[in-house]
Amino acid sequence: MTIHFLPNERRINWLTRLAGGHNLFLPFKVNSSVHWVRFDKGNFDINALALKEIRAAEPIKPFLFSPRERVALFPEPLEEPAAETPALLFGVKGCDLRGLAVHKIMFQEGEFADPFYSKRLKETILIGADCPEPKDSCFCNLVGLKPYVVEGVDLVVSVIDEGWLVEVLSEKGAKLIAGEDWRPASENQIDKRNAQRQEAEAVLQRRNPKPLNPNLPQAIAEKTNDDKFWAEAAQDCVECFGCLMTCPTCFCFLLYDQAKGDKVERTRVWDACYMAMYARVGGGANPRAKFLKRFINRFHCKFMHGKNLHGFYFCSGCGRCFTACMGKIDIRNIIGRL
Amino acid sequence: MKNPYQPIPTKILNVIEETPNIRTFVLKPEQEIPFLAGQFVELTIPGFGEAPFTPSSSHFEREVLEMTIMRVGRATGALFTKKPGDLLGIRGPYGRPYPLQEFEGRDIYIVGGGVGLAPLRALLLALVHDINKYGRIFLRYGARTPKDIVYKKQLKEWEKIKKVDIELSVDSADEPWERKVGVVTCLMDEIPCDVKKSVAVVCGPPIMMKFVTKKLLDAGFPGKSIYLSMEMNMSCGLGQCGHCRLGPYFTCKDGPVLTWEQIKDIEEPFL
Ligand SMILES: Cc1cc2nc3c(=O)[nH]c(=O)nc-3n(C[C@H](O)[C@H](O)[C@H](O)COP(=O)(O)OP(=O)(O)OC[C@H]3O[C@@H](n4cnc5c(N)ncnc54)[C@H](O)[C@@H]3O)c2cc1C
Ligand code: SF4
Ligand code: SF4
Ligand code: SF4
Ligand code: FES
């Protein structure tokens, strides 16, 4: 589709317009890391905007799949999800989208679509951004992704010196740039963008040169009972669950009920398969009472069943899990040895 | 918009004391729950949460729904304080029913243990309803002691049905008992059907399922003809929350009944 150019001095205007009617979130440099911050025109330092940096510390997951959400009431029903101001996420990375692909399968494609997730996703606008500067933690190239976005968003922004290139990928996206003083991007500008993209891919290739075992699911299946391998992989794990709570693709949740007077409120919260009680059944039996079994479960989920059943790894290569890890366990090393 | 987490208000019509810690709850949901034998529901015990249970009544009976429940912990403990007239919630049905069409024309060899007879009762009632469609029906059922046997009256009724053959055992008999003593596998030394052409259906505690499955395989039942009710922890019942994962399956969506063929390569399928 078409690629447009927005000079630097017009960026704020455009963002201000986008913020009308939406909760506009952008990646900002806060101290030394990048976080999603709500756009506030009165308190906005465009120099802290971190579009060129890698993905934010936190995934976009909570914008769509809330960490804690009321999902039912009893006995009077809760039929409609609460109305919220739709979000506009500006600067979504390629790896962020892998999380959405997983959640689409889990929450929307089964027999019982989740109305809370579906409603938010439908109303959310996604604007992608390239990653011209991949970092040490990035390994999207190993799981079949690119350090730039080519689909799954409404617009894609690429930063070049003199401004932003904006590629339109959907009709929703086309509307977002209507009315602004846009110029078509020049060939020279598009070449610049493409060169940046290639360079980013080359950086990732240098950082993560060894591809994953093409038969990784099979390799994991065969290693399942190799306690020595897993014990070594997990030896520095302190069971803090940070890796799972920060993971953009993890989807596990728990429903719990609370009495509120003579009514009951049902809440859905994120859960994590590393928790000891996660698989415990009535009366106390627990198929994954041993931590190693829980540790392996994550690898089965992301790198075996995900790939076997849906054709792609349930991992985005975002590196958040080991950035968060108390034990400095790099998942790349584990799957790299399989 | 349909909210899959929303339970349907359900009145308790009656509570039947089956054994000291198993009761059958006769329930009337405000809306029909169109379950088929083998499917389960999530039962809300207001204020205490939800737990998965399999209806034990006939799926041809749509007005009321029975569930036979053992008291094991928090939610079931709270349920046991409930009386006729009290309100519960139900959502479902979930999971896949027994593939009754595939059972047609074949002998059906059913093995149950303890409260595991509950889902099997729904199956048995469905089979008996169309008894001419199936071959012979064998039920082998074991409980800990004579006191722990559920559905005592109905077992006597079913025994009278032509084509239905029932044998019972108890692990230990602390009161007069005329039938076998021993774990349920002691009823399986002779299997009176053509194992290659029959189906086996098993439901009970994990340890029992493990030994029964072994016996069935040794007797020559093909793995794809052995149907097992897998109990995993469940939260959503919808195939979304991940809790019930068993190898590549989500027990709530792909099960709860899975064949031995499906699960044989999963490490320690029986907990
Ligand atoms: C498909 C299916 C059908 C079942 N059918 C029957 C039946 O017909 N009759 C019967 O007596 N029992 C049945 N069970 C077992 C029954 O669900 C458990 O005994 C019950 O959940 C125990 O709840 P509790 O809170 O009293 O136990 P606790 O030991 O107090 O459990 C504490 C908590 O652990 C979780 N938990 C424990 N066990 C389970 C479980 N199995 N599934 C989900 N979460 C769990 C819950 O959050 C529960 O509140 C079935 C289980 C499954 C999976
Ligand atoms: S993992 Fe890839 S897509 Fe994600 S931030 Fe790093 S370079 Fe970008
Ligand atoms: S497993 Fe780690 S690298 Fe993969 S998506 Fe989750 S947080 Fe990112
Ligand atoms: S973040 Fe690291 S230490 Fe914490 S649970 Fe995950 S692997 Fe273990
Ligand atoms: S119970 Fe939630 S996925 Fe099966």
Side-chain angles (χ1 to χ4, degrees):
Chain A
M1 280 224 208
T2 45
I3 304 181
H4 301 265
F5 172 70
L6 185 73
N8 280 333
E9 62 277 12
R10 301 200 57 83
R11 290 175 303 179
I12 297 253
N13 275 357
W14 187 40
L15 292 177
T16 308
R17 200 165 61 78
L18 290 178
H22 291 104
N23 270 324
L24 171 60
F25 289 89
L26 304 122
F28 263 77
K29 193 108 182 208
V30 183
N31 299 328
S32 60
S33 54
V34 179
H35 296 278
W36 287 102
V37 172
R38 192 196 305 257
F39 176 74
D40 169 3
K41 189 174 184 238
N43 185 13
F44 185 82
D45 173 10
I46 197 129
N47 296 319
L49 188 58
L51 278 190
K52 285 172 77 175
E53 309 254 344
I54 63 164
R55 88 291 184 282
E58 55 282 339
I60 61 170
K61 173 163 91 173
F63 289 112
L64 299 151
F65 169 31
S66 176
R68 175 185 200 89
E69 170 162 37
R70 186 175 77 169
V71 292
L73 293 173
F74 188 79
E76 289 87 38
L78 171 82
E79 294 295 357
E80 283 289 323
E84 298 166 28
T85 312
L88 194 164
L89 309 179
F90 194 111
V92 169
K93 304 295 187 178
C95 55
D96 288 319
L97 295 169
R98 175 65 52 96
L100 295 193
V102 171
H103 293 151
K104 183 160 188 262
I105 289 170
M106 293 311 301
F107 300 146
Q108 297 192 287
E109 289 183 353
E111 194 183 336
F112 305 96
D114 170 40
F116 303 89
Y117 185 87
S118 301
K119 180 166 188 283
R120 275 196 208 108
L121 182 64
K122 193 161 152 250
E123 290 171 356
T124 299
I125 292 174
L126 301 171
I127 297 185
D130 294 359
C131 306
E133 298 160 2
K135 290 274 184 329
D136 287 349
S137 55
C138 297
F139 65 99
C140 53
N141 65 318
L142 297 184
V143 296
L145 295 172
K146 302 243 178 255
Y148 49 83
V149 183
V150 287
E151 60 182 5
V153 296
D154 299 303
L155 297 174
V156 185
V157 175
S158 311
V159 179
I160 55 170
D161 287 343
E162 63 268 34
W164 292 348
L165 298 190
V166 177
E167 184 166 3
V168 180
L169 295 187
S170 77
E171 270 178 41
K172 229 190 213 175
K175 286 198 191 113
L176 296 175
I177 61 161
E180 204 65 31
D181 185 14
W182 294 89
R183 269 194 273 140
S186 70
E187 236 164 78
N188 179 22
Q189 286 171 326
I190 295 172
D191 287 347
K192 261 194 221 164
R193 179 193 83 163
N194 294 346
Q196 266 181 21
R197 287 182 167 188
Q198 271 172 18
E199 175 52 23
E201 285 189 86
V203 169
L204 281 165
Q205 186 56 33
R206 284 199 294 277
R207 289 223 163 98
N208 309 291
K210 184 174 158 256
L212 294 179
N213 181 340
N215 297 318
L216 188 57
Q218 183 61 30
I220 293 177
E222 282 162 14
K223 272 266 195 291
T224 292
N225 291 315
D226 186 344
D227 281 3
K228 192 165 162 277
F229 176 87
W230 295 106
E232 202 185 302
Q235 73 183 350
D236 293 324
C237 177
V238 297
E239 296 182 55
C240 67
F241 319 128
C243 51
L244 304 177
M245 285 299 155
T246 193
C247 178
T249 64
C250 277
F251 51 79
C252 286
F253 64 79
L254 181 78
L255 298 170
Y256 74 90
D257 289 4
Q258 271 174 306
K260 292 264 160 94
D262 54 357
K263 295 193 172 45
V264 175
E265 192 172 283
R266 176 162 297 162
T267 306
R268 173 171 74 180
V269 290
W270 289 355
D271 203 355
C273 67
Y274 276 8
M275 294 194 188
M277 298 292 278
Y278 178 90
R280 178 194 172 277
V281 301
N286 188 343
R288 295 198 286 273
K290 288 206 200 97
F291 177 65
L292 269 200
K293 294 255 182 298
R294 304 200 289 280
F295 191 80
I296 300 169
N297 185 67
R298 169 161 164 246
F299 292 82
H300 282 173
C301 180
K302 292 192 189 302
F303 298 101
M304 191 164 103
H305 306 313
K307 177 84 166 162
N308 283 341
L309 296 172
H310 304 289
F312 57 89
Y313 296 119
F314 278 19
C315 169
S316 71
C318 70
R320 289 183 178 95
C321 52
F322 51 85
T323 312
C325 182
M326 306 285 259
K328 304 230 177 336
I329 298 174
D330 186 337
I331 196 170
R332 229 177 344 194
N333 293 340
I334 299 172
I335 51 178
R337 276 190 284 133
L338 281 158
Chain B
M1 191 172 309
K2 187 133 179 53
N3 180 354
Y5 301 114
Q6 183 64 49
I8 296 166
T10 298
K11 200 166 246 154
I12 302 180
L13 296 184
N14 196 9
V15 181
I16 302 161
E17 188 105 14
E18 301 280 358
T19 79
N21 64 352
I22 300 178
R23 288 180 189 171
T24 295
F25 294 81
V26 184
L27 306 173
K28 178 147 180 60
E30 261 177 23
Q31 287 163 40
E32 205 175 85
I33 304 281
F35 80 99
L36 293 170
Q39 289 188 297
F40 70 97
V41 299
E42 285 281 353
L43 189 67
T44 300
I45 300 106
F48 289 88
E50 288 186 304
F53 299 100
T54 321
S56 58
S57 47
S58 166
H59 65 213
F60 293 102
E61 162 69 78
R62 285 293 164 80
E63 284 278 295
V64 294
L65 196 85
E66 290 179 28
M67 275 185 266
T68 304
I69 295 174
M70 183 155 86
R71 176 172 48 193
V72 297
R74 205 177 99 87
T76 49
L79 180 64
F80 270 54
T81 65
K82 300 286 179 190
K83 302 174 300 301
D86 288 350
L87 197 64
L88 302 173
I90 288 190
R91 54 188 184 94
Y94 300 128
R96 303 194 324 167
Y98 287 107
L100 290 181
Q101 262 181 337
E102 285 170 35
F103 290 10
E104 285 181 16
R106 300 161 83 178
D107 285 353
I108 298 156
Y109 188 81
I110 304 173
V111 190
V115 75
L117 193 55
L120 297 175
R121 183 171 76 151
L123 172 65
L124 209 65
L125 291 170
L127 294 174
V128 166
H129 187 269
D130 291 318
I131 191 128
N132 294 328
K133 284 192 186 161
Y134 309 98
R136 291 167 300 164
I137 298 166
F138 300 92
L139 172 66
R140 303 294 176 255
Y141 174 57
R144 280 214 309 269
T145 72
K147 269 202 289 304
D148 296 306
I149 290 185
V150 294
Y151 312 136
K152 287 195 188 72
K153 261 214 225 108
Q154 285 121 327
L155 282 164
K156 288 213 180 83
E157 294 299 312
W158 293 330
E159 279 189 306
K160 293 183 197 148
I161 303 171
K162 217 176 96 196
K163 295 219 298 191
V164 176
D165 174 295
I166 299 182
E167 283 187 30
L168 308 177
S169 76
V170 293
D171 298 358
S172 61
D174 49 6
E175 58 185 77
W177 175 252
E178 277 147 29
R179 306 178 82 144
K180 276 246 183 173
V181 176
V183 291
V184 70
T185 42
C186 78
L187 302 172
M188 298 175 66
D189 290 333
E190 264 166 66
I191 292 182
C193 48
D194 179 351
V195 293
K196 292 275 178 260
K197 294 191 191 132
S198 309
V199 295
V201 182
V202 190
C203 185
I207 183 85
M208 169 260 178
M209 299 238 285
K210 181 170 171 172
F211 287 107
V212 168
T213 303
K214 188 167 180 310
K215 268 284 225 257
L216 292 170
L217 291 167
D218 290 347
F221 273 97
K224 63 179 183 354
S225 308
I226 302 176
Y227 293 84
L228 303 157
S229 294
M230 301 311 293
E231 185 172 325
M232 295 295 287
N233 184 307
M234 290 190 187
S235 185
C236 69
L238 311 167
Q240 298 174 349
C241 76
H243 276 89
C244 67
R245 186 188 280 290
L246 181 67
Y249 305 108
F250 284 141
T251 314
C252 67
K253 160 169 85 100
D254 304 309
V257 175
L258 295 165
T259 64
W260 175 249
E261 186 63 28
Q262 286 176 294
I263 60 173
K264 66 180 187 336
D265 295 327
I266 297 168
E267 180 213 11
E268 293 178 42
F270 300 120
L271 305 187

